[in-house]
Each structure stands twice: as C-alpha cells, then as structure tokens.
C-alpha cells in the first residue's frame, strides 16, 4: 500500500457485527490510583493501550452514531476494522485537569470501568532474527552458566529478603519497646497520683506523631507503597505492569513505612508488606543494575526482559512469605495460588530454594540476636509457638464445630470486606489529597490509642502475674501481683497479642474482655486497612479470629462442664484461620502457612476445613479483600477462566479495531507519526507485507512493539531509499536490553527531515510468528490461549490471513459475570 494513498475502507471482514453497547462515559474523571500520580519523565512512555484498547461499538462522535462517522483522512499507514471508543469529551477533559490541579472535593468514581493506564508485561519472548541468532551462538556451557546464574540470583533474593525482614523486626521491637515503656511508666506514675488523662494524651500523641511520619513519606514520596502491596504484586504476577511497583524507592518507603505503622500502634501487621518487599528485591537483583540510582553493574544482562523478571518476582514474593511466617512451602504455594499465571517445574525448585534461604537467613540472624545462636528458634517474623498435639489433639466430634467456626469466619470476613469496600469508595471520592490522607492516618492512630486506653481503664479483668509471660504488664487498678488482662491484647505489638491468645493458659481472659476486644479491634482493623500507610492485614485478621475463637472455646468448655478437649488455645487457632480465610480467601497456601507456623501437621485437616468453609461462605456474599481492591482500582486482571456464559461471544466481537498496521519496509516519517499520535498510543503493531499493488491482500507477516521501534529510531537503524543498504551498524539484543525497562518517550528522539524520508526494514526485528486466532474463535478459547501463554497482543485474522483486529488484556478483562449475567465494563483513561 503506497504511503500516499488515503485510508481506504477495508474489505468485508473488517467491520464486526454491531451489538448494543453502553454509550459514552460522560463523567469519567481521574481517580486516586496505586501509583498516585501521573507517570514521571523517566517512566515508560504513557501508552494508553496496547492495541486499540477502546470499547467496541461506540463512535467517536455522538453516542450511538454510525461506526464510520469519522472523516476519512490521508494516512500513510493501514487502518483496519471498525472504530470503537469511549470518548472523553471536552467537559470531561476539563474535569480531569481540575482533578489533577485543583483537587475537587469529590472525585466521581464508577465501578464499571477498566483503566487504560495499566499495560501488560511482554511475557512472550519475541523470537525475531536477533533472538534466534543469539540463541544459536550460545553453546551448551553458556546455557549452563545462565542456569547457574538463575540459582545464584534466587539465593541472593532469599538472603536479602531475610536481612530486610530482620531489620524490620529488630527496629520494630526496639522502637515499640521504647514507646510502651514510656507510656507504662507514665500510667504507673499517674495511677497513684491521679490525672490519667495525661497518659492518654501521651499515648495518642506518640502514636499520631509516628504514624504521621510514616504516612507523609508514603503519601508524598511513593503512594504505591501504601497498604500491604499484595494486590499490586498479584497484578504484576498476573501480567499487569503497575507503575513504580518494583522500584528501589518503593522498597525503601515500604520498609520505613511499615516500621512506623506498627510502632505507631495501628491495627496492622508487618508480615504482608514483606511479600511486596521480597518482590522488589527480586526485581532489582535480577536486572544487575538500578535505574533509580543510575548504576549498572554489568551483570545478569541476559535477564533484562519481562519474561525473566516476572519469574524472579514470583520467587521474591515467596521469599517474603517465607520470611514473614517461617513457611517456605507456604511461600511457594502462595506464589502458585495467588500470583503466578505461568508455572513450570524448574521455576518451582528455584522458588522453593529462595524461600528456604530466606527463612534460614532470618532464623540465623534473629537467633543470634536473641542470644541463642545454635537454637534456630526464630524461623519467621511471627512464630505461633509449638502446639502440643498430645495435650491439644482433636476428635471426630469436633469436626462439625470447626466447620461452624469456618461459617462464622466467612460471615465475619464478608462483613469486614463489605465495610472496607464502602470505606475505600469514600476515600477514593473525598480523601484524595495527600494532606487529607495524612490527617486521616493520624486520626486513626489517635483513636486506636484512645480506644485501647479506655478499654484498659474500664476493664476489671485482673489476672495473677506469672513470671515474664507478659511483656509490658499494666497493673492500673489491680491488686499487687496482678495485671490488667485487657492490656495484654491492646498494650502490645499485634504479633505478641496473637501468641498470647494462642498459648496463655485457660482462665487468662475474661469472656467479656475477649468479646469487647473482638468488637473494637474488628472495626479498628477495618478502618485501618486502606489508609495511606504501609501495613498488612494478615496479623489483624489473625488477632480478631484468635480473640473470638478463644471466646468460642471458653463457651464450649462452659457448656461441656470443662471437658479436656475444649482448650481455648486450640479454638483460638481455628478462629484465626477461619477469620483470615474469610477476609483474604486463600485456601491451599494459607493452610500450609498455618501448619508451618504452628509446627504441627496434626492440625492440617481442621485448618483446611475451617479455611475452605470460610471461603465458600464468604464468596457467597462478597469478593476477597485483595480482589476487591484490585477491582476498585479498575485493573484489567485476568482470572483463571473466562466467564462461564461467554461462549456466544467471538473474537470478532471482542477484538479492538481498527488496527494500526505497519508495512515490512516502512518510511521513517510514518513510524514517527504513528508513535507520536497521542490519541492512539498503541504498544503493538502488526506488520503486513509491503506491496505496491493496493488490490493485493496485505497478509500478516509479524508483530513489532512500540519499545522496539523506539530503540530502532534511537539508534537510527534506517535504510537508504535509493539502494536499500544499511547505513548504520547492526543492532544486537543487548541494545534492547540496555534500554529496558524505561524506554525513552518518542518525544525525546530527534529525527531530521532528511531522515524522515529514509526507510526502515522491520524484517529483522519483528516477531515473525505472532499468535493469531480466526475471527470466529469463541471468547473462552481466545481467553485460554491469551492467559495460558501470557500474551500481550493476540492478532485476529480472516480467511485470507488479513488483520481484522487485535485482542489485548483489556478486551478480555472487561467481560465478567455479574449478578444479572454477563456484563461488559467500559474502558476509560482513569
């Protein structure tokens, strides 16, 4: 097709059948996101979609207009198929500008949206000529060397993740201990003299001050470090590129933020963020350089691509779980169940190796730190302690009781998630300024301290003090030799509170104490999750469950006249498992994590029963917490299977069209114009055969990515028009790896007027065998191919091998099963 020809109307296959579609989105505004800000200059180019990620069926003109109402303009490249878009009209663009610059009091938010700002990872290798030549040059010894490097990287991931976990644990223990001692001394002093309001004020101010620092660094420096990071890592392992998620700056803010959150007394844990920290460490080590520090160590260059990086990130996430809970097998299963979309046996071994190294590193250093270097008694950040199966065994009669506890955990988990959902919606709409987010975090910290103080003050549950079983015993109004039982739950780090609920002997807690603590901590934890601080939800969930589980055990012992089997510690464990399962909805990995953390395989079956029951019951009402937050951020997350009622949809109806195609030998000016077109910032371009005959079918020859074209333009790999000879050196794969992952924007590349008239031969650089599907393929078939192979672009062709459309992640993610059957989400730049 000659570059001077107009954009002609394509042949019959190009116009998909019309179906009724939602109209234009009239009120789509920029909303708060994980990355919290627009991409900065050093980021990847702000590509809005990988192909044409726009909603099929809506026209660029008025809603419901004809599909080709756009004026036909002269275009040097081929456009095929039907135009489809959700157009943001002028008043919406003004609203977006206002949202960015002036922070409106309310940001409109529509749940039925998918965001165009999230891109996919290029998990599929581009097997172009450069790749094949490099593979042919590498001999058997070199391949063995690459494999050894993979094991070395996994070992380094494990060691560094363990060291980071040790640092967090030691600093939290020191700072929290200092805070609790200061407050305890103050309370002891004013209990005798009167004026305990000063103690309350001191506790609240200390909490708020520490949390303020933790919230400021997250809100103003790196918003993606907020929360546990597990939803973001789930998305990354699913194949979604979340901005800033595996940066060095994110790791530093995460580590500092989680220390300050826990020390600040919030209802949070430090275990969840370890998964994110491990993932960032893995991403950094595997690349052998830091783009943030602009340092290149010239090692591990072979692994500078999304395929390798994502595999190492899954190892980092597993190492994080292992360090948090001392559960290496649970870490591997977490990566498999919750994250990795693509798996193989060799990857399993490497991930298990990284997990083992991580927990061993943590165990060695913490055991040495605690003065028992040869004991190796600290395998994780939280150790549930030994559960003696001889004393705390279970019988067949108890199995129905465990199932009932699973039902309770599922219902309470669903209530927790529902409350947190509405709270998150409120935050998205109204608390979107960083200063408001910091104020909210300080308010929650002060309220948490006030609630804890009032509960301790009003409690009359005094227990005899036995040895050093209580870290910071508060006597308050109890007699000498006694301590306030409520203080062991509130006046402590959450991890120690969980262990005390598991192992304190029967009679250590009054039922009223446990009931009030469960109620108050439930609402505090629900309010806290989603604040702009680095914090996890694992430990608060376990603490809530352990409290009501222990209460359940006490009630059971009362009803059965103190039967030996009704030990409250055992039921605290089952309640903790049921509550955590009801909130996060993990089954396989969580069962193994709980078993490894308790060091007792005997409880595997009841824990599994409680978790499965909690998941089934919870799923009946609402989604799991992590999935809910992924959905609220409008991420195009692909689940394991396509919606069950989607067989009637075909690739022709799902695909994005029109498609911007390039010819095999294309003019440089044309390529620059396409890449500079901000209205269609595509990331993948099918390459069709160059032919001077416009009547000849432009058959598919390959696929080339935006990032590859940018590298070609940067190195000016042009062909003289006269004799088609190369005028510059041949590129190697190293040139593409050096530019990875932050490819320069097209605006930074200067192309002179003379160079615009040169030609580019894409044959050597394009992927000559892209995956394709016929336009009659059903949605489940397309979905299975796309997800199983980790694709970014799937080309739809007709019977003549002519490109009619392109399927991307957003095209598949926008179909989901709603309450009224199959529903289609709208796509917008949110």
């Amino acid at each position: 097709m000659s570059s001077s020809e107009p954009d002609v109307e394509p042949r019959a296959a190009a116009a998909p059948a019309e179906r009724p579609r939602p109209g234009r989105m009239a009120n789509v505004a920029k909303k708060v996101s994980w990355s919290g800000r627009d991409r900065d200059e050093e980021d990847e180019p702000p590509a809005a979609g990988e192909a044409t990620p726009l909603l099929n069926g809506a026209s660029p003109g008025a809603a419901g207009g004809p599909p080709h109402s756009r004026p036909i303009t002269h275009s040097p490249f081929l456009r095929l198929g039907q135009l489809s878009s959700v157009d943001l009209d002028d008043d919406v663009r003004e609203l977006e500008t206002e949202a960015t610059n002036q922070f409106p009091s309310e940001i409109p938010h529509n749940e039925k949206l998918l965001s165009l700002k999230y891109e996919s990872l290029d998990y599929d290798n581009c097997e172009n000529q450069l790749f094949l030549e490099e593979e042919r040059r590498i001999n058997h010894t070199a391949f063995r060397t690459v494999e050894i490097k993979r094991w070395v990287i996994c070992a380094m991931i494990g060691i560094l993740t363990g060291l980071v976990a040790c640092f967090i644990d030691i600093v939290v223990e020191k700072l929290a201990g200092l805070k609790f001692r200061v407050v305890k001394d103050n309370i002891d002093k004013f209990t005798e003299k009167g004026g305990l309001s000063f103690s309350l004020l001191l506790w609240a101010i200390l909490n708020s001050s520490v949390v303020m620092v933790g919230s400021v660094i997250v809100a103003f420096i790196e918003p993606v470090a907020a929360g546990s990071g597990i939803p973001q890592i789930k998305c990354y392992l699913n194949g979604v590129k979340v901005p800033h998620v595996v940066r060095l700056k994110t790791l530093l803010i995460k580590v500092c933020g989680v220390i300050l959150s826990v020390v600040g007394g919030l209802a949070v844990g430090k275990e969840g963020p370890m998964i994110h920290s491990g993932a960032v460490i893995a991403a950094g080590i595997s690349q052998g350089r830091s783009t943030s520090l602009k340092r290149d160590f010239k090692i591990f260059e072979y692994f500078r691509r999304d395929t390798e990086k994502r595999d190492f990130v899954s190892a980092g996430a597993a190492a994080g779980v292992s360090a948090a809970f001392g559960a290496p097998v649970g870490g591997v299963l977490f990566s498999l169940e919750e994250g990795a979309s693509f798996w193989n046996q060799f990857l399993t071994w490497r991930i298990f190796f990284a997990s083992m190294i991580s927990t061993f590193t943590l165990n060695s250093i913490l055991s040495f730190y605690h003065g028992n270097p040869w004991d190796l008694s600290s395998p994780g950040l939280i150790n549930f302690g030994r559960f003696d199966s001889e004393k705390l065994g279970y019988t067949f009669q108890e199995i129905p009781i465990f199932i009932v506890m699973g039902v309770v955990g599922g219902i309470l988990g669903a209530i927790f998630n529902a409350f947190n959902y509405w709270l998150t919606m409120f935050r998205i709409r109204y608390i979107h300024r960083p200063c408001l987010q910091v104020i909210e975090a300080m308010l929650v910290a002060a309220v948490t301290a006030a609630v804890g103080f009032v509960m301790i003050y009003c409690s009359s549950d005094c227990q005899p003090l036995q040895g050093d079983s209580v870290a910071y015993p508060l006597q308050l109004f109890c007699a000498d030799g006694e301590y306030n039982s409520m203080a062991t739950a509130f006046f402590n780090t959450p991890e120690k509170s969980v262990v005390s609920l598991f192992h304190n002997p029967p009679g250590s807690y009054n039922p009223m104490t446990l009931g009030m603590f469960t109620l108050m901590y439930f609402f505090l934890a629900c309010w806290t999750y989603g604040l702009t601080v680095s914090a996890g939800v694992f430990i608060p969930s376990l603490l809530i469950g352990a409290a009501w589980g222990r209460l359940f055990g006490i009630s059971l012992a009362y009803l059965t006249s103190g039967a030996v089997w009704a030990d409250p510690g055992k039921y605290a464990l089952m309640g903790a498992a049921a509550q955590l399962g009801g909130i996060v909805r993990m089954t396989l990995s969580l069962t193994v994590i709980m078993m490894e953390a308790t060091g007792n395989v005997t409880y595997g079956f009841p824990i599994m029963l409680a978790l499965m029951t909690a998941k089934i019951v919870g799923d009946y009402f609402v989604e799991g917490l992590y999935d809910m937050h992924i959905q609220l951020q409008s991420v195009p997350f692909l689940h394991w299977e396509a919606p069950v009622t989607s067989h009637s949809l075909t690739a022709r109806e799902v695909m994005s069209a029109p498609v911007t195609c390039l010819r095999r030998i294309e003019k440089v000016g044309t390529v620059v114009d396409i890449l500079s077109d901000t209205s269609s910032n595509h990331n993948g371009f099918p390459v069709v055969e160059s032919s001077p005959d416009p009547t000849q079918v432009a058959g598919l020859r390959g696929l080339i990515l935006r990032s590859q074209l940018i590298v070609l333009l940067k190195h000016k790999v042009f062909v003289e028009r006269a004799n088609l000879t190369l005028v510059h050196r041949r590129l190697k794969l190293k040139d593409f790896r050096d530019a990875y992952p932050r490819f320069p924007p097209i605006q930074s590349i200067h192309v002179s007027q003379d160079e615009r008239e040169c030609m580019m031969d894409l044959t050597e650089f394009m992927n000559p065998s892209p995956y394709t599907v016929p336009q009659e393929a059903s949605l489940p078939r397309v979905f299975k191919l796309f997800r199983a192979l980790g694709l970014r672009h799937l080309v739809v062709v007709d019977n003549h091998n002519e490109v009619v459309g392109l399927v991307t992640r957003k095209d598949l993610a926008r179909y989901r099963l709603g309450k009224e059957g199959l529903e289609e989400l709208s796509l917008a730049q949110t």
Side-chain angles (χ1 to χ4, degrees), residues 359-389:
T359 190
F360 180 76
T361 303
L362 179 85
N363 204 343
S364 304
I365 294 175
L366 286 187
S367 297
F368 185 81
Y369 173 76
H370 292 307
N372 45 355
W374 308 113
D375 199 13
L376 295 180
S377 56
S378 305
L381 292 182
I382 181 169
N383 186 5
F384 292 163
R386 245 338 128 183
F387 279 80
D388 190 349
S389 51

Side-chain angles (χ1 to χ4, degrees), residues 131-205:
F131 177 82
L132 296 176
E133 285 172 14
E134 183 184 80
E135 294 292 301
R136 278 193 287 266
R137 281 198 307 271
I138 298 178
N139 56 26
H140 178 71
T141 307
F143 272 120
R144 296 288 295 173
T145 305
V146 167
E147 191 60 27
I148 290 169
K149 284 181 179 177
R150 286 197 179 98
W151 287 92
V152 169
I153 290 171
C154 286
M156 292 172 68
I157 290 168
I159 291 169
L160 281 177
T161 304
L163 289 174
V164 168
C166 289
F167 175 76
I168 291 173
D169 190 61
I170 291 169
V171 175
V172 164
E173 186 180 325
K174 291 288 185 188
L175 294 180
L178 179 65
K179 185 193 80 171
F180 286 129
R181 280 194 297 274
V182 168
V183 175
K184 180 183 183 304
D185 292 345
N186 193 274
I187 289 176
D188 289 344
K189 185 173 87 173
F190 282 108
T191 304
E192 300 170 6
K193 296 164 52 176
L196 276 170
S197 53
F198 289 108
S199 302
L200 168 60
L201 201 59
L202 174 68
W203 193 357
I205 289 173

Side-chain angles (χ1 to χ4, degrees), residues 417-493:
N417 291 359
F419 281 162
N420 192 261
Y421 174 85
W422 294 112
L423 189 58
T424 306
M425 289 286 288
F426 178 83
R427 284 178 174 137
I428 287 172
R429 285 176 173 155
Y430 298 102
I431 310 178
H432 44 79
R433 296 187 193 180
C435 54
L436 291 177
Q437 293 167 345
V438 172
I439 290 169
E440 187 198 14
M442 292 173 65
L443 175 65
V444 174
V447 168
T448 304
V451 167
F453 185 87
V454 170
M455 296 276 285
I456 294 169
Y457 183 84
C458 296
S459 172
S460 57
D461 184 8
C462 295
Q463 301 290 341
L465 189 60
Q466 299 171 347
D468 298 328
S469 59
V470 184
Y472 307 103
L474 281 180
Q475 183 179 355
L476 217 60
F477 303 115
C478 295
D480 289 342
E482 293 185 335
Y483 70 96
N484 189 303
S485 180
M486 182 70 85
T488 55
F490 268 114
F491 199 68
N492 220 331
T493 57

Side-chain angles (χ1 to χ4, degrees), residues 345-411:
Q345 188 177 359
F346 294 115
L347 186 61
T348 309
W349 269 111
R350 288 199 298 272
I351 290 178
F352 183 60
F353 178 66
S355 297
M356 275 293 188
I357 294 289
S358 173
T359 190
F360 180 76
T361 303
L362 179 85
N363 204 343
S364 304
I365 294 175
L366 286 187
S367 297
F368 185 81
Y369 173 76
H370 292 307
N372 45 355
W374 308 113
D375 199 13
L376 295 180
S377 56
S378 305
L381 292 182
I382 181 169
N383 186 5
F384 292 163
R386 245 338 128 183
F387 279 80
D388 190 349
S389 51
E390 290 182 9
K391 293 181 183 176
L392 303 179
Y394 66 93
T395 60
F396 273 110
Q397 296 93 317
E398 291 179 87
I399 290 176
I401 299 173
F402 297 144
I403 294 174
V404 170
M405 292 185 77
V407 172
V408 174
I411 293 170

Side-chain angles (χ1 to χ4, degrees), residues 83-127:
L83 180 71
S84 50
S85 69
V86 169
D87 228 16
L88 300 181
D89 42 8
D90 293 334
D91 58 332
V92 179
R93 290 195 184 93
E94 288 171 11
L95 184 57
E96 281 195 334
T97 306
E98 183 187 354
T100 308
N101 300 331
Q102 298 176 13
F103 290 111
S105 57
E106 177 182 358
I107 289 185
H109 177 56
N110 190 328
E111 305 159 52
K112 301 290 179 72
L113 282 181
L114 274 189
S115 175
L116 294 179
K117 75 173 186 175
Y118 294 108
E119 297 303 326
S120 286
L121 298 172
D122 290 308
Y123 192 71
D124 182 40
N125 272 327
C126 176
E127 295 185 348

Side-chain angles (χ1 to χ4, degrees), residues 468-544:
D468 298 328
S469 59
V470 184
Y472 307 103
L474 281 180
Q475 183 179 355
L476 217 60
F477 303 115
C478 295
D480 289 342
E482 293 185 335
Y483 70 96
N484 189 303
S485 180
M486 182 70 85
T488 55
F490 268 114
F491 199 68
N492 220 331
T493 57
E495 288 84 1
K496 289 179 179 169
S497 300
V498 170
V499 175
S500 68
L501 285 167
F502 284 167
H503 293 292
N504 281 10
S508 299
Y509 293 93
N510 189 307
M512 179 63 74
T513 300
L514 290 173
M516 291 300 295
F517 174 79
T518 302
L519 186 66
M520 297 310 299
Y521 206 82
F522 183 91
F523 288 107
L524 285 174
C526 188
W527 189 12
T528 305
Y529 189 79
L531 289 177
T532 312
V533 293
S534 298
V537 76
F538 268 75
I539 298 302
S541 305
L542 289 172
L543 188 50
I544 295 164

